Amino acid sequence: MGRLAIIGGSGFASMPELEIIEEQHAQTPWGAPSAPLMKGRLGGAEVLFLPRHGQGHSLPPHRVNYRANIQALHDAGADLIVGLGAVGGITPSYGPLTICVPQHIIDYTHGREASFHGDSGTEVVHVDFSWPYDAGLRQALLQAAGATSISVVDGGTYAVTQGPRLETAAEIRRLERDGCDIVGMTAMPEAVLARELGIRYATLAFVVNWAAGKSDSEIGMDEIVANIAHCGEDVMRLLATVAASPPAIS
């Protein structure tokens, strides 16, 4: 079985359900990760945990050191990563409080360090990224949903925007024309960096608001915070189930 790491997003800067065994202050060639790595037990299974935005949610999406985060988890022995993501819903099947396991990504970010290769003096490496999410880990999340009777949408396309501002209604209309179902700010370059290091990666996304222009009201942080809390228990049950029986590493 593989060693599972969880990257916590908005609303998951900590995991009270995690029994912490050890705190690791990692250093990498790319600098320090967002926060110390937490080694602990979730539902009796050993996992690694890293809050993407730092302790206290102090790092906006475009300032996260994604390379240091993924390298630190790799060095700590992670074979599998589930990245949590609070997202906006674009298409009708992805309304607020929907939990989903997306299958595709369209990357609209810019200026982020998106590879471990290609810096001065290093070899350029091109990884196949046709299918950005690992099929086995996606299936494990979906099977966990079935085992826990939690409703989860299988599939969809995640639009990754730069942030930290939310999108305009016109931008969301463009994303929908491009075929996107949900919109967030953190799946890239996280997913491709994991691919470069041979770590199997999937996103577990939870919809916390309709995207801009998809409802009659403005997007409010009170709504987002409340919906994150509403999804939290189901997200933790899914993670604990996957941690107890992660997919095998071939």
Side-chain angles (χ1 to χ4, degrees), residues 166 208-209 217-226:
L166 299 176
V208 296
N209 58 274
S217 59
E218 292 187 2
I219 300 169
M221 286 307 301
D222 289 346
E223 173 194 6
I224 290 173
V225 170

Side-chain angles (χ1 to χ4, degrees), residues 89-106:
I90 298 175
T91 54
S93 296
Y94 296 82
L97 305 182
T98 300
I99 298 175
C100 62
V101 182
Q103 188 172 21
H104 303 288
I105 290 172
I106 300 180

Side-chain angles (χ1 to χ4, degrees), residues 52-179:
R52 181 188 292 121
H53 298 285
Q55 295 172 320
H57 201 276
S58 57
L59 295 169
H62 66 301
R63 296 294 188 192
V64 172
N65 190 339
Y66 294 95
R67 291 196 294 185
N69 286 354
I70 299 300
Q71 184 73 61
L73 291 172
H74 174 270
D75 294 347
D79 303 299
L80 308 157
I81 294 176
V82 173
L84 302 182
V87 298
I90 298 175
T91 54
S93 296
Y94 296 82
L97 305 182
T98 300
I99 298 175
C100 62
V101 182
Q103 188 172 21
H104 303 288
I105 290 172
I106 300 180
D107 185 8
Y108 299 91
T109 65
H110 52 84
R112 302 184 183 188
E113 296 291 350
S115 177
F116 292 111
H117 309 288
D119 287 3
S120 178
T122 65
E123 179 185 2
V124 175
V125 175
H126 304 281
V127 294
D128 176 45
F129 205 53
S130 304
W131 303 94
Y133 292 122
D134 180 78
L137 187 51
R138 288 189 69 255
Q139 191 60 38
L141 287 165
L142 295 170
Q143 288 174 349
T148 53
S149 300
I150 295 172
S151 178
V152 171
V153 176
D154 176 5
T157 298
Y158 184 144
V160 192
T161 57
Q162 180 71 359
R165 67 166 178 85
L166 299 176
E167 301 73 31
T168 68
E171 287 169 335
I172 293 300
R173 291 196 297 271
R174 174 201 173 189
L175 299 184
E176 187 169 15
R177 290 194 299 270
D178 286 351

